Amino acid sequence: MKMAFKIAKMELQSLFFSPVAWLLLVVFSYQVGMTISDSLEGIVVRQAMGYEMWRVTGSVFAGLMESIQGSLYLYIPLLTMNMISRDLNGGTIKLLQSAPLRNIQVVAGKYMALMVFGLAMMGVILFYVIFGLFTIENIDIPYVLTGILGLYLLLCAYAAIGLFVSSLTSYQVVAVFGTLMILILFNYVGDVGQ
């Protein structure tokens, strides 16, 4: 397990040296900020018109969680596209396989790196939750934290799918489109029967 942590640390460093990861974090922060500001604008307008304020936590954070859940599948393929396919294409997979490592340690290390990056993405949402603590009266903290946990678990599931697809091919573009197609299918399969 110690080797898996070393691989996770190495992958996390390469992930944070990548401009794609930083761009995704900035775009994700922008999406969260704009969704929160739109929700708060509607609440401020209703309050200025003299309406009673109720379900403020639900109207602010439920819309945020729904918006993020609906677009989270767009971020993950770009993160996972080169996790294993980079090693396959660059030939470093032979070095990893010849080292005293098992395949499960390599995959677990790469997956742990994606999970830590997912925590960074959830940290952006947590920043707005802390902002909500000071601005929303009687905020429902368990409701919000449960939503963040659900988004994090969804992100972890998407990352596992992306890591699997990345292991199937040595081409990063094929890994991106393969992951994107699978995640689009999973994201919209509930609407098919409707």
Side-chain angles (χ1 to χ4, degrees):
M1 197 61 173
K2 192 166 58 171
M3 292 304 290
F5 286 125
K6 286 183 181 181
I7 292 173
K9 181 181 175 186
M10 182 185 66
E11 285 296 325
L12 201 58
Q13 285 175 348
S14 72
L15 196 60
F16 277 109
F17 284 139
S18 166
V20 172
W22 285 105
L23 180 68
L24 288 177
L25 208 52
V26 167
V27 169
F28 183 76
S29 301
Y30 179 77
Q31 177 194 6
V32 170
M34 292 308 294
T35 306
I36 288 281
S37 92
D38 286 346
S39 298
L40 289 177
E41 179 186 11
I43 289 171
V44 167
V45 167
R46 284 193 302 266
Q47 190 176 17
M49 293 172 62
Y51 291 117
E52 182 81 22
M53 300 308 300
W54 58 283
R55 289 194 36 142
V56 176
T57 304
S59 60
V60 171
F61 290 106
L64 173 70
M65 301 300 171
E66 185 178 342
S67 169
I68 292 171
Q69 186 263 333
S71 64
L72 191 62
Y73 69 93
L74 297 172
Y75 297 106
I76 301 305
L78 295 173
L79 281 176
T80 61
M81 71 179 172
N82 64 356
M83 292 303 273
I84 294 179
S85 63
R86 176 185 60 219
D87 292 334
L88 289 172
N89 199 19
T92 56
I93 195 72
K94 294 191 187 301
L95 289 173
L96 286 172
Q97 289 175 340
S98 66
L101 294 171
R102 295 193 318 244
N103 288 339
I104 188 124
Q105 290 173 322
V106 174
V107 173
K110 291 176 182 286
Y111 184 66
M112 281 188 270
L114 288 171
M115 290 174 64
V116 171
F117 189 82
L119 285 175
M121 291 176 77
M122 295 303 117
V124 171
I125 301 172
L126 201 58
F127 171 77
Y128 288 103
V129 170
I130 292 170
F131 175 74
L133 281 173
F134 296 111
T135 56
I136 299 174
E137 188 176 324
N138 299 326
I139 186 170
D140 191 8
I141 291 295
Y143 176 81
V144 176
L145 292 180
T146 303
I148 292 174
L149 177 66
L151 284 176
Y152 179 69
L153 293 176
L154 180 68
L155 186 139
C156 289
Y158 285 174
I161 293 168
L163 198 61
F164 171 69
V165 173
S166 176
S167 71
L168 295 177
T169 181
S170 62
Y171 300 109
Q172 294 178 5
V173 175
V174 174
V176 167
F177 285 115
T179 304
L180 189 62
M181 290 302 125
I182 291 172
L183 295 182
I184 285 174
L185 176 73
F186 284 158
N187 202 37
Y188 292 112
V189 75
D191 296 337
V192 172
Q194 300 296 326

